[in-house]
Amino acid sequence: MQEVLPIQKDRSWLYKAAFALAVVTIFYNLAEGLFSIYFGYSDDSLALFGFGVDSFIEVISGLGIAHLVWRIWQTGEKSRDNFERTALLITGFGFYALVAGLVVTGFYNIWTGSKPETTFWGVVVSLVSILTMTALIIAKKNVGKNLDSDAIIADANCTKVCLYMSVILLASSALYELLNIAYIDVAGTFGIAYFAFREGRECFEKAAGKKNCCH
């Protein structure tokens, strides 16, 4: 018994860390979403606005992940329950709705010649997001490997998609701010829509039990 207790204590600490990382992800996405939508709307930056909406959808996904980590920690049961499947379905529909909205609005902006007033805040948000997502990915992977948990490692892989979106936002925002390239904001919007579509598809696959992780 004396040899088992330290291991159990270590695993309990790791699950606490995993749950804390899930909560941090939720609150970060809330703050990022509010900031991005506000400045995306006020500066007419569709890419930044879409990035903000995506952050709010990620909050729903984050709630499912936090619930999953807590459940595995308490019960050891790894099969998804109804709460997690429902969160995945809502998230999937949210991503698909976001894709439709971004694509339609993107083509409308091309047709009308609408361009952002500035994309400065897109640069700021994307840089902060890249740093934050990189730190979260490293931390989640370390905890997941120590726990030998496919679910937590999968969450880290899903966070990579947010990192890719941040890189797209940074590229489009920086190019527009520095060179004023026409429609580069729309190009960034379509890039974000592409990854949002992938995330939505993976949510439906995981809800159906066809997929265990993001790639």
Side-chain angles (χ1 to χ4, degrees):
M1 289 297 292
Q2 290 180 348
E3 294 179 0
V4 176
L5 286 174
I7 297 174
Q8 291 175 336
K9 184 178 179 181
D10 287 345
R11 290 182 68 83
S12 179
W13 182 87
L14 287 167
Y15 276 117
K16 287 178 182 178
F19 184 75
L21 287 169
V23 172
V24 167
T25 304
I26 291 169
F27 280 99
Y28 174 79
N29 278 316
L30 277 172
E32 181 181 78
L34 287 169
F35 197 90
S36 300
I37 286 177
Y38 175 79
F39 283 103
Y41 180 80
S42 61
D43 295 338
D44 291 327
S45 173
L46 181 59
L48 181 56
F49 185 87
F51 187 79
V53 176
D54 174 84
S55 296
F56 279 121
I57 298 172
E58 295 286 357
V59 169
I60 303 172
S61 175
L63 290 171
I65 293 296
H67 176 78
L68 179 146
V69 171
W70 180 267
R71 180 175 51 75
I72 294 176
W73 177 18
Q74 298 299 315
T75 68
E77 175 60 45
K78 294 184 178 181
S79 299
R80 290 190 181 92
D81 63 12
N82 289 332
F83 180 91
E84 289 149 23
R85 283 190 289 270
T86 301
L88 283 168
L89 290 173
I90 293 173
T91 304
F93 281 117
F95 278 129
Y96 278 176
L98 173 62
V99 171
L102 290 181
V103 170
V104 170
T105 309
F107 280 115
Y108 176 79
N109 283 359
I110 292 174
W111 182 50
T112 60
S114 176
K115 295 189 294 184
E117 294 180 12
T118 177
T119 53
F120 170 78
W121 289 111
V123 175
V124 173
V125 170
S126 58
L127 285 173
V128 172
S129 182
I130 287 170
L131 292 173
T132 304
M133 291 301 128
T134 301
L136 285 171
I137 289 168
I138 294 171
K140 289 177 180 181
K141 280 197 169 183
N142 285 337
V143 172
K145 287 177 181 177
N146 284 318
L147 285 171
D148 193 25
S149 171
D150 291 337
I152 295 172
I153 293 173
D155 181 36
N157 289 332
C158 288
T159 306
K160 285 183 181 179
V161 180
C162 301
L163 179 61
Y164 300 153
M165 288 187 179
S166 302
V167 171
I168 290 174
L169 178 63
L170 175 61
S172 62
S173 298
L175 285 172
Y176 185 85
E177 192 68 17
L178 294 173
L179 304 175
N180 198 30
I181 299 176
Y183 304 121
I184 192 67
D185 185 69
V186 174
T189 300
F190 290 157
I192 290 171
Y194 166 75
F195 281 108
F197 176 81
R198 281 185 53 184
E199 285 197 278
R201 182 181 61 194
E202 287 173 349
C203 284
F204 285 116
E205 289 175 348
K206 287 190 287 183
K210 299 178 181 178
K211 199 167 189 178
N212 292 320
C213 63
C214 299
H215 300 286

